Amino acid sequence: MLTIINNETDPLYNLALEEYVFKHLHINEDILLIWQNKNSVIIGRDQNPFREVNCPYTHKNKIPMFRRLTFGETIYHDLGTINYSFIVRDVKENFDRYNIFLDPIVKILNELGVPSHLESDGDICLEGLRISANTQTYHRNKMIHHGVLFFNTNLEKLDQVIEIPTKSEFEYDIVKTKHNGITNIKEYLKEDLSIKQFKKYLLDKLIGEDLIDKQYKLDYIDKTKIKKIAKEKYSTWEWNYGESPKFIIKKEFDNRMMITLIVEKGIINRVSIDSFENVMALVKGLEGSRFDEKSLKERLRFCTTIDIDKLIETLLF
C-alpha cells in the first residue's frame, strides 16, 4: 500500500483529490490518504443538506458545505478532525467488511491508551461514545473506505452545525445523520500528542515508518486534473445542492398562509399555498426556482404584497 502526503486543508481540493485517486488514478497499488479539512460541513452522497445542516448557523458563521462522493452521514470538519481513505482494488474481498480497515486503527488507538472497539454499524466507540464514523462505496473494480477520527474536534460547533427540523417540516428524507454522542480521542491518550504527532504515528503504523519508497507523488498533470474536478464538480451548486433527494417542506408564514413545496434536485417544482389571499404571483415565482436565497430573491422580486426577506427566511431557515 502506498500513501500520498497531503498537507492541503481546503475541503474542495481534498474532496477532488479523493475522487481523482479513486476513479482516475490507474496504478497497480492500493492507496491510503490521510488529511485534515478546515472548517466545513461535509454531507453524504445521497443526503439532503436542507434537512441535515443548520443553515442559519453555517450561513452566519461562514461555514461552507460540500457533498462528498461516499454515502453516509453529515460530518462537521475542522483542523481537529482527521480524514482517512483506503482506496483498494479488490472489491469482492473488501467491500462491506469494515473490520478489515478498522481493526488496525482500533489496535493503534488501544496502544495509545484509548480503550476503543468497533461497533457492528462501522463506528469506532469508547464508553458508549463515538470517536470515528465510516462509510464505503465502490466504482468498477475499486472501492473506497472513508472515515473520520474525532481527535480534537470542536464538539460545540459540531452540535450547532447539525440540526433536525421538526417532522412536520420535512418528508422524503433518505439518510439521516446520527446524533448520538461523540467524544474526542485526545482526552483519552495516555501520553499527550499533537494532532501532527498522532497523524504520523497512525501513518507509520498503517504504512510503515520508511515512507520514502511508499509514496505516490502527484505530478503537475495529476494536480491539474484534481483542480479541474474541484472547480467543475465540488464547487458547484448543482453537485452540492442539486443532487439532493426529493423532499417536501411545509411552512406556515406570518399566520397568513401554509406553504407546501415539493423540491427535486434542489428545484421547487410544485407549490401549494393554503390562504384566503390571492397567491397566484407567489406560486408563479416559487415554481421553477432553485431552493436558495439568491434565486428566490430574484424570482420573488415582483411580489409586493408580502415581506420577501421574511418569507425566504421562513422557507430556508
Side-chain angles (χ1 to χ4, degrees), residues 42 44 47 51-52 68 71-76 98 102 118-125 128-135 150 158-159 161-164 174-182:
I42 311 297
Q47 282 197 301
R51 166 64 172 78
E52 297 295 337
R68 64 177 180 267
F71 296 85
E73 62 187 285
T74 297
I75 301 290
Y76 168 71
Y98 282 65
L102 297 179
L118 177 61
E119 294 280 356
S120 59
D121 60 1
D123 291 337
I124 299 176
C125 297
L129 300 171
R130 294 197 296 159
I131 55 173
S132 174
N134 296 269
T135 184
F150 301 106
L158 182 150
D159 287 338
V161 160
I162 300 172
E163 178 186 65
I164 303 179
I174 305 298
V175 176
K176 297 181 181 179
T177 296
K178 301 175 189 176
H179 291 269
N180 49 313
I182 292 172

Side-chain angles (χ1 to χ4, degrees), residues 39-41 49 52-65 76-78 154-163 241 313 316-317:
N39 284 20
S40 54
V41 184
E52 297 295 337
V53 180
N54 182 346
C55 294
Y57 181 83
T58 55
H59 183 76
K60 179 181 178 181
N61 291 278
K62 295 181 171 57
I63 301 173
M65 189 281 298
Y76 168 71
H77 291 223
D78 61 21
N154 186 325
L155 299 182
E156 184 177 341
K157 272 194 177 180
L158 182 150
D159 287 338
Q160 291 285 342
V161 160
I162 300 172
E163 178 186 65
Y241 293 94
E313 183 177 355
L316 294 181
F317 306 135

Side-chain angles (χ1 to χ4, degrees), residues 215-267:
Q215 290 186 48
Y216 176 85
K217 295 186 178 180
L218 299 169
D219 60 22
Y220 175 79
I221 295 175
D222 292 325
K223 292 177 181 178
T224 300
K225 290 179 178 178
I226 292 165
K227 290 176 182 177
K228 187 173 187 288
I229 294 170
K231 180 180 179 180
E232 295 182 358
K233 181 174 182 177
Y234 290 100
S235 67
T236 67
W237 185 93
E238 287 77 9
W239 171 254
N240 291 318
Y241 293 94
E243 287 293 317
S244 300
K246 174 183 175 181
F247 66 96
I248 297 175
I249 184 168
K250 299 178 181 179
K251 290 287 185 78
E252 183 181 9
F253 173 63
D254 209 21
N255 294 318
R256 296 167 59 183
M257 57 188 71
M258 176 62 74
I259 302 173
T260 302
L261 307 177
I262 298 179
V263 184
E264 291 189 78
K265 293 191 175 297
I267 305 294

Side-chain angles (χ1 to χ4, degrees), residues 90-138:
D90 196 337
V91 176
K92 185 177 180 180
E93 290 297 317
N94 294 291
F95 189 70
D96 210 28
R97 297 176 66 187
Y98 282 65
N99 62 298
I100 291 175
F101 304 98
L102 297 179
D103 282 349
I105 293 177
V106 170
K107 181 180 178 182
I108 292 166
L109 289 169
N110 278 275
E111 287 174 0
L112 293 171
V114 183
S116 56
H117 63 276
L118 177 61
E119 294 280 356
S120 59
D121 60 1
D123 291 337
I124 299 176
C125 297
L126 62 81
E127 298 179 358
L129 300 171
R130 294 197 296 159
I131 55 173
S132 174
N134 296 269
T135 184
Q136 296 182 351
T137 193
Y138 64 89

Side-chain angles (χ1 to χ4, degrees), residues 4-52:
I4 296 173
I5 302 300
N6 175 30
N7 295 315
E8 179 60 67
T9 60
D10 179 1
L12 265 178
Y13 179 87
N14 289 331
L15 287 166
L17 168 63
E18 184 182 50
E19 175 164 330
Y20 176 73
V21 175
F22 180 41
K23 292 186 176 182
H24 306 290
L25 183 62
H26 304 296
I27 60 174
N28 195 32
E29 293 282 354
D30 296 336
I31 297 282
L32 170 63
L33 302 175
I34 296 180
W35 75 97
Q36 296 159 267
N37 285 329
K38 58 189 176 184
N39 284 20
S40 54
V41 184
I42 311 297
I43 65 170
R45 172 68 180 85
D46 57 349
Q47 282 197 301
N48 179 358
F50 308 108
R51 166 64 172 78
E52 297 295 337

